[in-house]
Amino acid sequence: MIHILDILKKIALFEGLEDSDLAKVAQVTKERFCPKGTILFREGDIGDAFYLIKEGQVEVLKKDGGAEKVVKTISHTDKDNFFGEMSLVGGAPRNATLRTSTDATFLVISKTDFDMMLRLNSFIALRIMTALSSRFRAATPEAAQEVKLGKLVVIFSPKSGAGKSIFAANLASGLAKLAKAKTLLVDLDLQFGDLAFMLGLQPKRTIADLVENPTDKLEVFKEYLVDHKAGFAVLAAPKKPEQSEMINSSHLRAFVELARKHYDYVILDTHSLFQDLTINAMDMADAIYLLMLPTLNHIKSMHQCLKVMENLKYPPDKIKLILNRDGSQHARSREEIEGGMKRKVDFTLKDSWPQIAALIDTQKTVFEQDSSSEYTANMVAIMEKLTGQTFAKEGKKGWLSSLFG
Ligand SMILES: Nc1ncnc2c1ncn2[C@@H]1O[C@H](COP(=O)(O)OP(=O)(O)O)[C@@H](O)[C@H]1O
Ligand SMILES: [Mg+2]
């Protein structure tokens, strides 16, 4: 008898997986018997499962004018006796109809079961994404992008409380106000995200409503956003934590793709887990900002986080390490942290306790008031690197006056 692990090993999608991972994939693989003449799926259907022929034969049909014609048959003994692997990671429509031409048995992995397995095994997601993204990088020539896309910025930290959300909100506000850029801020902290609240916004709709009615039209997409008076838009986290489960990485990929055609910057605030969704976000991103506090537990977690991220083989300058709350009480110094992690910190954000606390109380960003704090200046420096523009001129003509002058 052929072992299921040996079968799965041959599928390119699973090439980065270890045997223990494959065993988990095997657990969500089901055997299904289909009598002769069964239609497995039709051309144009959205792919929702992977099929491998264990026994029997299928016909591949394609539309030709009005009628469907058999273009080939595939039997279990053929080398390529499986189809739809990519539908497991966010499927394009099926490019043909499949019908059994004998009684047949399949090994089937449904996208729903696969997603569930990935949710519980984020490192399998990570390894699949790693293998996939290197394949894509090899396959897509640069010239394939004719439209100029907005920059995707992902904000992540292995620990919560690192200051991601405050940073994300201020970044969006600063890009809108100083760079006059069309900016979208997305709250991907799906269970307890509070960006909208932090910004004093009352969204009528959230990301959960959007994925219930996916759209590829900008005007419709905008109905799910809430506008901030500083000039950026927000896609809010679901109102109830349990709605977080509605949102998967194909939803994310679809709306990010749409948003990047219209916004100069799309900023994704995340929660502190390596998970299918966050990894997909990082993979698509132009820049990843990793935030940490100057404390031992953050240093340790960030060190582990960076090790895992090495496997993703991103270009080195895609990842920026930000040391937040620099100079706070009991903080480790920047030099000590860099020495311990054997990596340079790219940016620091000064600890500005009373100011940041006041901002949260008044639901404002630093760019909405006449603030000349070090935190604001640090934010400006980060934004200058990101945009390639200069905002911080010496003296009165600097970014302060462009805001309030
Ligand atoms: N530079 C800073 N100075 C002072 N307080 C900060 C700073 N950055 C973040 N904080 C505080 O840290 C807390 C956590 O910030 P938040 O953005 O919600 O973290 P995360 O989104 O990473 O969980 C907030 O209450 C905020 O007041
Ligand atoms: Mg947060």
Side-chain angles (χ1 to χ4, degrees):
M1 206 196 90
I2 21 164
H3 198 276
I4 184 162
L5 291 194
D6 294 326
I7 298 178
L8 294 175
K9 255 186 204 157
K10 300 209 177 79
I11 315 295
L13 180 68
F14 304 138
E15 78 189 16
L17 298 189
E18 295 169 7
D19 280 1
S20 57
D21 300 336
L22 285 169
K24 297 231 167 72
V25 178
Q27 279 171 14
V28 295
T29 307
K30 291 181 182 142
E31 209 169 286
R32 185 164 133 202
F33 172 77
C34 299
K36 179 178 174 185
T38 309
I39 305 257
L40 292 175
F41 49 79
R42 288 193 181 279
E43 184 174 349
D45 286 355
I46 292 294
D48 59 357
F50 163 83
Y51 294 88
L52 183 139
I53 316 171
K54 194 176 171 206
E55 192 78 66
Q57 206 174 60
V58 298
E59 293 169 327
V60 180
L61 297 96
K62 274 190 157 297
K63 283 207 191 86
D64 180 12
E68 284 190 321
K69 290 220 172 78
V70 176
V71 291
K72 67 172 169 182
T73 59
I74 305 174
S75 120
H76 70 273
T77 50
D78 292 342
K79 191 169 145 285
D80 289 323
N81 60 352
F82 54 86
F83 14 83
E85 52 167 329
M86 293 311 284
S87 65
L88 295 178
V89 283
R94 305 282 194 193
N95 60 7
T97 297
L98 237 75
R99 183 173 65 197
T100 52
S101 49
T102 64
D103 285 356
T105 311
F106 297 90
L107 294 177
V108 185
I109 305 176
S110 80
K111 174 144 177 58
T112 322
D113 291 344
F114 192 69
D115 279 344
M116 193 63 84
M117 188 273 300
L118 288 185
R119 265 173 200 279
L120 301 172
N121 299 278
S122 47
F123 286 85
I124 297 186
L126 183 74
R127 287 191 265 274
I128 288 179
M129 289 310 302
T130 310
L132 263 185
S133 59
S134 49
R135 249 203 288 165
F136 278 136
R137 260 174 236 150
T140 27
E142 298 278 303
Q145 281 192 6
E146 10 24 284
V147 241
K148 194 181 167 296
L149 296 177
K151 276 197 181 170
L152 182 69
V153 179
V154 171
I155 296 160
F156 183 75
S157 168
K159 283 257 180 281
S160 67
K164 291 183 295 294
S165 301
I166 307 271
F167 174 75
N170 282 301
L171 184 63
S173 174
L175 286 170
K177 287 213 124 189
L178 290 180
K180 307 275 183 279
K182 279 192 266 170
T183 304
L184 172 68
L185 175 61
V186 181
D187 196 341
L188 274 192
D189 183 354
L190 295 176
Q191 290 200 355
F192 295 105
D194 53 2
L195 270 179
F197 176 76
M198 233 161 81
L199 289 161
L201 298 171
Q202 270 134 11
K204 284 199 201 67
R205 292 172 172 175
T206 72
I207 190 169
D209 304 303
L210 172 68
V211 303
E212 273 193 323
N213 308 286
T215 178
D216 55 7
K217 302 207 169 45
L218 177 70
E219 289 318 309
V220 182
F221 175 65
K222 280 187 171 165
E223 291 171 14
Y224 294 90
L225 311 179
V226 49
D227 289 319
H228 189 274
K229 59 180 180 308
F232 60 97
V234 177
L235 180 57
K239 292 191 173 150
K240 300 185 198 136
E242 58 268 32
Q243 289 176 306
S244 68
E245 293 178 3
M246 297 161 58
I247 297 122
N248 62 37
S249 45
S250 358
H251 296 131
L252 173 75
R253 284 189 173 260
F255 77 71
V256 164
E257 196 181 316
L258 174 68
R260 289 175 79 177
K261 289 187 191 141
H262 304 279
Y263 289 90
D264 303 318
Y265 293 93
V266 178
I267 299 167
L268 304 182
D269 182 25
T270 63
H271 66 129
S272 299
L273 280 176
F274 272 130
Q275 179 230 34
D276 185 39
L277 206 68
T278 359
I279 295 160
N280 270 277
M282 290 188 187
D283 212 60
M284 286 184 283
D286 297 287
I288 302 168
Y289 289 124
L290 297 177
L291 266 77
M292 66 182 293
L293 299 183
T295 57
L296 277 184
N297 59 344
H298 275 251
I299 298 168
K300 177 171 177 291
S301 299
M302 185 55 82
H303 189 61
Q304 291 172 316
C305 168
L306 285 165
K307 277 232 164 97
V308 171
M309 290 192 64
E310 260 174 36
N311 295 327
L312 292 168
K313 306 246 179 332
Y314 293 141
D317 62 348
K318 173 162 164 173
I319 300 172
K320 305 283 185 216
L321 182 59
I322 302 185
L323 177 63
N324 187 21
R325 307 201 65 170
D326 184 31
S328 56
Q329 239 193 337
H330 309 299
R332 303 285 160 153
S333 74
R334 177 174 176 157
E335 294 68 34
E336 193 184 350
I337 292 167
E338 290 180 332
M341 298 210 311
K342 299 191 177 52
R343 189 202 194 283
K344 286 259 173 235
V345 165
D346 296 291
F347 301 101
T348 52
L349 289 167
K350 265 277 172 238
D351 186 59
S352 322
W353 171 248
Q355 186 207 5
I356 299 276
L359 282 177
I360 294 171
D361 264 3
T362 53
Q363 301 177 306
K364 281 213 161 60
T365 64
V366 289
F367 297 103
E368 290 168 81
Q369 54 193 35
D370 194 348
S371 119
S372 50
S373 73
E374 269 193 87
Y375 184 87
T376 318
N378 296 153
M379 285 296 308
V380 170
I382 293 172
M383 281 163 31
E384 288 188 334
K385 265 278 185 297
L386 177 64
T387 59
Q389 292 173 249
T390 349
F391 310 114
K393 291 199 209 80
E394 288 302 316
K396 275 243 171 285
K397 288 234 171 299
W399 49 268
L400 268 184
S401 61
S402 79
L403 277 179
F404 308 104

